[in-house]
Amino acid sequence: QVQLVESGGGSVQAGGSLNLSCVASDGWYSTSSTYCMGWFRQPPGKEREGVATVSPGGGMTFYADSVKGRFTVSQDKDRNSLDLQMNSLKLGDTAMYYCAATGCDVHPYMMDDILTTMNPERYAYWGQGTQVTVSS
């Protein structure tokens, strides 16, 4: 089973930046070669929502409209991690952030759907979450 661990959350003022990191039990690069990966978040009083997703191998990335242009997802080969750089943070970004992964050795149409719809129910493996709090 794939096990994921997030880190890097904390408190920051609006307009500031944070970098989140996610590591996998068997190494992120081996996991990313066959798994779709993503970052999700759950704001206070709201349902869990997709933030960014990455195709197997990291060839394609997708972002929710609410974070497009501000957040960047990337792979760090030295630390063997999947990172989420968050810039220009807003009050609405306050949430518990989760790293997730799911098997993506599927038909291209299905993979595209998994990545673009960012439906949490389509992801099988989850980290414990890391809290991000943005204040004014």
Side-chain angles (χ1 to χ4, degrees):
Q1 294 289 324
V2 175
Q3 292 185 306
L4 308 172
V5 180
E6 308 98 329
S7 63
S11 299
V12 64
Q13 291 187 325
S17 300
L18 281 176
N19 184 270
L20 306 184
S21 182
C22 174
V23 295
S25 59
D26 63 343
W28 201 237
Y29 283 94
S30 61
T31 300
S32 67
S33 66
T34 58
Y35 287 83
C36 288
M37 303 171 292
W39 282 96
F40 295 79
R41 68 186 184 185
Q42 187 164 13
K46 298 182 179 180
E47 296 183 346
R48 191 169 300 182
E49 62 184 19
V51 175
T53 53
V54 184
S55 66
M60 297 184 293
T61 57
F62 303 87
Y63 298 91
D65 289 340
S66 60
V67 306
K68 194 172 299 181
R70 299 188 298 119
F71 291 10
T72 303
V73 64
S74 63
Q75 295 178 337
D76 188 323
K77 65 177 183 179
D78 294 327
R79 296 191 296 111
N80 199 27
S81 65
L82 179 72
D83 299 332
L84 182 69
Q85 178 64 45
M86 306 185 295
N87 298 324
S88 302
L89 284 162
K90 304 175 180 179
L91 293 178
D93 294 322
T94 293
M96 182 70 75
Y97 282 71
Y98 299 90
C99 177
T102 195
C104 258
D105 186 15
V106 297
H107 191 281
Y109 180 84
M110 183 175 294
M111 181 180 70
D112 184 71
D113 183 68
I114 291 172
L115 293 170
T116 59
T117 61
M118 300 187 187
N119 184 352
E121 296 181 357
R122 305 292 293 277
Y123 287 76
Y125 309 104
W126 293 84
Q128 83 288 350
T130 184
Q131 179 68 41
V132 171
T133 302
V134 183
S135 64
S136 61

